[in-house]
Amino acid sequence: MADNDWKKRLGVVYSTDPGFVYEEDEQQREQTPAPEKQRLIVTIDRRQRAGKQVTLVKGFVGSDEDLAALGKSLKQRCGVGGTAKDGEITLQGDLREKVCALLAQMGYKAGRGN
């Protein structure tokens, strides 16, 4: 069954060769640098949020899975909701000091943006 996974071959033209075997290109997975090599900026934002404050963590370089894991860890430790997408972590509320301290404990270089 794994040899006939059609979703991986959506852009492939039909072949009449009976011995044709589709070979996938190895995609380069984005490597996430070590926490010590990352510089994260922690800011607060109120724009287009109906006056509510959110804490933004910008500057993360790496895979989406690692970003989601870091976002989940910050949300759990702060006890708030939020999201992690497009290289940015959004946490509900003004948590700049707490997030900076948590990121420093994790080994990231974190600074306040505003």
Side-chain angles (χ1 to χ4, degrees):
M1 262 329 216
D3 294 336
N4 197 17
D5 188 12
W6 61 273
K7 291 181 182 180
K8 293 180 182 177
R9 298 178 283 145
L10 281 176
V12 178
V13 178
Y14 181 76
S15 175
T16 58
D17 182 15
F20 177 77
V21 177
Y22 178 72
E23 297 176 9
E24 287 185 41
D25 293 336
E26 284 292 322
Q27 295 180 355
Q28 293 289 349
R29 184 174 178 204
E30 188 175 350
Q31 296 293 327
T32 303
E36 304 85 41
K37 296 182 180 181
Q38 295 208 34
R39 174 85 171 123
L40 302 179
I41 307 296
V42 181
T43 61
I44 190 167
D45 188 24
R46 295 180 192 93
R47 288 186 222 136
Q48 299 177 352
R49 301 184 197 281
K52 306 286 185 192
Q53 297 177 346
V54 295
T55 303
L56 299 175
V57 180
K58 299 178 183 180
F60 184 84
V61 178
S63 67
D64 291 336
E65 294 85 17
D66 294 334
L67 176 68
L70 178 61
K72 182 177 180 178
S73 175
L74 289 175
K75 289 188 293 185
Q76 285 179 343
R77 290 182 181 191
C78 293
V80 296
T83 184
K85 59 184 174 185
D86 300 330
E88 182 176 273
I89 299 170
T90 305
L91 301 170
Q92 296 173 351
D94 183 5
L95 302 166
R96 289 176 288 183
E97 294 298 325
K98 189 172 186 178
V99 170
C100 283
L102 289 172
L103 289 171
Q105 285 178 354
M106 293 178 189
Y108 291 94
K109 294 178 187 173
R112 286 184 54 167
N114 57 356

